[in-house]
Amino acid sequence: MNWLLALPVLVVAVGVLYLPGLALLVAAGARGFLLYVAAPAVSVAAVAVLAIVFPYLNLTWTVPLVLLVLAGLVAVVAVIRRIVAGSWAVRRVEQNAVTALWTVAGLATAAVVITAQLIIVIGEPANMSQTFDAAFHLNGVKFILDTANASSFHLSGLILPEGASSFYPAAWHGIVSLVSASSGGGILVAANMVNIVIAAAVWPAGVMMLTRVFVPGSRVAIVAAGIVSAGIPGFPLLPLDYGVLYPYFLALAFIPLALALALSFTRLVSFPFDAPILLRALALMATLAAMGLAQSAAVFAWAAMLVPVLLAVVIDVWRRHPSSRLRWPVLLAGGAALAVLAVAWYVIGRLGNTAPWDAYATPLYALVELFSNSREGAAPALVISILTVIGLVAVLRGGRWWIAGMWTVAAALFILGASLPYGDLRNVAIGLFYKDTPRLTALLGTIAAPLAALGVVAVWTWAAGRLAPELFARLRSGRTPLVVPVIAGVLLLATTQGGMQAAVVEARPKYAMTEWSPILSIDERSLLERLHENVPEDAVVAGNPWTGASLAYAVGDRRVLNPHFNVSAEPDHVLINMRLNEAASDPAVCDAVTTLGVGYVLDFGVYTRDAGGTLSFDSTTNYKGFLDLAESGVVEEIDREGDKVLYRITACE
């Protein structure tokens, strides 16, 4: 499939991510830019929450039923607003035509640039990330489609014993399942299209909103936010390159929006969007729900970045009310909030204590990487780094230290991840993020982007007052052609793409489909795409998941014994994985084969490598039963592509 043929799937992805939220927000009375920027968060929250509710109501996860329930929910919201407001009428939001024009220009620029970046990286619409976690996420979508259940309490059933499950945030998987089912474009294409919409539309809008909250009324900030959002190597590209971190990527895309909405309830900023407090509260709740049901660690990161804001609010109350009884309750409430965050951070962060990622740099070197927007030797994004530093200086000089504090929290987490040695302190500090520096690099990008945009505003303001005041006076009066700010925008775009070019070049091989692709090669994929010709629908296919055989589920539409590289401890699974090649002489193996319905096995060899180059190990350790199958007398060859073979198990007939 080429990109032109994938366009309908992209349109469906836009519809799934925007239309439910737009309908719900319009019904609630939202208008203006808030309506656009918050719509995807509301859509994701609605889809993820409905997915959890559906099983309790004995409802199946199908597109018509989801649409019907969403329509009913929109009607309910509209009636509630009618009762509360006393009228069906909605307040009109005055729009400044020039501001709207620059908003569209900034968002369009970001969308075009980021889409181009991802098209180059992905290569073909049906390509997949050649990283180990891709199999779980893609197979997870297939599991949702097969079971008609997208609940976050159901998805883990993909890899757990039958009937068992635990909580795993499934918002991303639920969205992709709807796009795949609605468009018929296939799981891999649907996943890529959803990711493009999140990166090219959802993310820049959030950055623009947070930047406008920091500097309301600045048209320079509007355009700068759009351009800068396409120039941060850490986000949105890194989570799509490393891991692969699809759920975390979706959750982080909402952080700027969540920060902007939280700030709207303080006196620290002048919220530039006309929206009642109740509507903002509902939008914030929906955004946090979307983040929590995509990847819960993002909510904790959002809360941590708001700690300086909380301190600033407490200080503001103490200064403005020197003799008021309000001071101590506010102080105690702030302290209680910090205590709750600390306890939750520790308790939930313990889930990541077993993650293997360790420090790789000294604190000094980590600082160098921090201020150069680089990680582990990657090419630095110097212009973005300079603009971020200028933005930090500008907010500190303006007395808004809490903005710098938000960046400092994310920066501190990155430095700890890069330099803190293995041990309890590392576990407590960054266990929430699996002690994984790329996750923290991506998190840092969510606040670095608006700060870099503030840096652009500071440079523009300085130039207007010191460098060429007459020129800028003519710009403000409209006596200078539009071409001048356009040239400035193009120059900013060109200079901020330096680090991105290197990031795109580094990421591109991670999606490339070749004869030696790390997870799924051309021959392997060709064989999987023919499985329906040789394998009955009710058969289960075995194979070493580290070699890409697990993708027989998402790509080949056949159930697999090992849908992910997590090793099953179930006795029958262990027997097949470790001793299938002994089935001719061991009846216990055949008993397991019969019990589980395993009739076929894929032999993709023992070549195992992750495109990220993060792991080096013997992939056959827990799957020795798939070695030397051709000589075992247990199987017969059914299909072959190069040296990749599909066998039928004959020893147990």
Side-chain angles (χ1 to χ4, degrees):
M1 177 183 288
N2 59 39
W3 288 99
L4 184 60
L5 293 176
L7 191 58
V9 187
L10 181 65
V11 172
V12 172
V14 172
V16 171
L17 278 165
Y18 276 89
L19 291 182
L22 286 173
L24 287 166
L25 284 168
V26 168
R31 293 296 184 270
F33 187 65
L34 178 62
L35 173 63
Y36 171 77
V37 72
V42 175
S43 294
V44 172
V47 167
V49 171
L50 287 180
I52 293 174
V53 172
F54 266 35
Y56 295 101
L57 301 178
N58 292 320
L59 299 177
T60 56
W61 191 252
T62 59
V63 173
L65 199 51
V66 172
L67 289 177
L68 182 63
V69 174
L70 282 172
L73 187 59
V74 170
V76 170
V77 171
V79 170
I80 292 175
R81 185 184 62 79
R82 169 66 175 81
I83 295 172
V84 172
S87 169
W88 293 107
V90 178
R91 293 189 315 164
R92 296 191 61 181
V93 177
E94 296 297 327
Q95 298 288 341
N96 182 292
V98 177
T99 299
L101 175 64
W102 286 114
T103 299
V104 172
L107 293 175
T109 300
V112 170
V113 173
I114 294 175
T115 300
Q117 292 168 352
L118 293 183
I119 287 176
I120 293 171
V121 168
I122 296 171
E124 297 290 337
N127 282 358
M128 56 163 277
S129 170
Q130 297 283 340
T131 51
F132 289 132
D133 279 339
F136 173 79
H137 297 308
L138 298 174
N139 283 342
V141 176
K142 175 63 175 170
F143 185 65
I144 288 173
L145 294 172
D146 279 358
T147 60
N149 187 336
S151 172
S152 294
F153 293 96
H154 174 72
L155 183 63
S156 60
L158 171 69
I159 58 177
L160 294 178
E162 187 173 355
S165 65
S166 62
F167 178 81
Y168 185 95
W172 181 88
H173 309 82
I175 291 291
V176 176
S177 74
L178 292 178
V179 174
S180 179
S182 302
S183 66
I187 293 172
L188 275 63
V189 177
N192 286 331
M193 297 305 108
V194 166
N195 291 337
I196 287 175
V197 176
I198 295 167
V202 176
W203 156 251
V207 173
M208 187 176 290
M209 185 177 193
L210 182 56
T211 304
R212 290 179 67 176
V213 167
F214 286 156
V215 281
S218 171
R219 293 169 186 167
V220 174
I222 293 173
V223 179
I227 293 174
V228 165
S229 68
I232 303 285
F235 196 86
L237 181 56
L238 182 58
L240 299 179
D241 168 14
Y242 172 86
V244 68
L245 309 176
Y246 291 150
Y248 187 63
F249 157 75
L250 172 60
L252 287 193
F254 293 130
I255 280 188
L257 168 62
L259 291 173
L261 289 171
L263 287 169
S264 75
F265 298 102
T266 73
R267 293 171 52 92
L268 302 176
V269 300
S270 176
F271 194 66
F273 308 103
D274 187 8
I277 188 170
L278 179 59
L279 186 59
R280 280 179 276 141
L282 292 174
L284 178 58
M285 291 170 59
T287 303
L288 294 179
M291 292 164 59
L293 292 173
Q295 222 298 346
S296 308
V299 177
F300 285 92
W302 166 84
M305 284 193 282
L306 285 177
V307 169
V309 175
L310 177 62
L311 295 177
V313 168
V314 172
I315 292 172
D316 178 62
V317 169
W318 274 66
R319 286 177 175 174
R320 288 188 300 105
H321 303 280
S323 58
S324 172
R325 294 181 179 178
L326 183 65
R327 300 174 76 185
W328 285 107
V330 169
L331 181 61
L332 292 174
L338 291 177
V340 169
L341 175 60
V343 171
W345 189 287
Y346 171 74
V347 172
I348 298 179
R350 294 173 64 185
L351 297 174
N353 286 358
T354 58
W357 316 122
D358 203 353
Y360 67 88
T362 64
L364 180 59
Y365 187 76
L367 277 172
V368 171
E369 289 196 334
L370 172 68
F371 284 104
S372 63
N373 273 284
S374 175
R375 180 186 60 85
E376 298 188 54
L382 292 179
V383 174
I384 292 292
S385 299
I386 292 170
L387 291 173
T388 303
V389 172
I390 293 173
L392 286 168
V393 172
V395 297
L396 288 172
R397 290 187 62 185
R400 298 189 295 172
W401 57 268
W402 47 271
I403 298 179
M406 296 164 72
W407 176 87
T408 301
V409 169
L413 290 172
F414 169 81
I415 292 173
L416 290 173
S419 63
L420 196 64
Y422 187 83
D424 290 340
L425 182 57
R426 182 178 179 85
N427 290 342
V428 171
I430 54 176
L432 269 168
F433 306 94
Y434 304 100
K435 302 174 289 184
D436 188 350
T437 307
R439 294 176 191 264
L440 298 169
T441 303
L443 173 62
L444 183 62
T446 63
I447 189 63
L451 266 172
L454 294 186
V456 175
V457 174
V459 171
W460 185 270
T461 303
W462 173 83
R466 301 288 184 87
L467 191 61
E470 293 183 4
L471 173 62
F472 283 88
R474 293 174 64 187
L475 280 172
R476 286 191 292 268
S477 65
R479 290 181 287 116
T480 299
L482 186 63
V483 69
V484 175
V486 170
I487 291 174
V490 171
L491 181 62
L492 176 63
L493 177 62
T495 55
T496 54
Q497 286 299 301
M500 287 306 305
Q501 292 179 18
V504 167
V505 169
E506 181 182 352
R508 187 174 185 180
K510 313 278 178 71
Y511 283 80
M513 181 66 65
T514 69
E515 289 296 338
W516 292 99
S517 295
I519 302 296
L520 195 67
S521 68
I522 292 176
D523 286 350
E524 291 167 347
R525 181 161 182 166
S526 297
L527 192 60
L528 294 186
E529 290 175 342
R530 296 199 300 266
L531 282 182
H532 67 280
E533 300 174 4
N534 301 296
V535 178
E537 289 186 12
D538 60 346
V540 176
V541 181
N544 185 340
W546 292 104
T547 65
S550 60
L551 286 158
Y553 191 37
V555 176
D557 193 24
R558 290 298 180 265
R559 289 185 299 146
V560 294
L561 180 67
N562 303 303
H564 190 35
F565 58 78
N566 285 352
V567 180
S568 173
E570 291 297 298
D572 286 343
H573 284 76
V574 174
L575 264 177
I576 296 173
N577 287 333
M578 292 297 291
R579 296 167 58 187
L580 177 64
N581 49 16
E582 302 174 19
S585 58
D586 188 345
V589 177
C590 282
D591 289 342
V593 166
T594 302
T595 299
L596 296 177
V598 177
Y600 296 81
V601 57
L602 287 165
D603 185 355
F604 285 173
V606 297
Y607 173 73
T608 304
R609 187 166 60 88
D610 176 70
T614 55
L615 299 175
S616 178
F617 57 96
D618 180 4
S619 66
T620 68
T621 299
N622 296 296
Y623 302 99
K624 296 188 181 297
F626 305 131
L627 298 175
D628 304 317
L629 285 171
E631 298 81 25
S632 67
V634 171
V635 297
E636 69 172 353
E637 182 177 318
I638 298 297
D639 195 9
R640 170 185 292 268
E641 189 74 32
D643 61 350
K644 314 304 179 184
V645 187
L646 169 68
Y647 292 109
R648 184 170 65 88
I649 300 172
T650 58
C652 302
E653 293 179 344

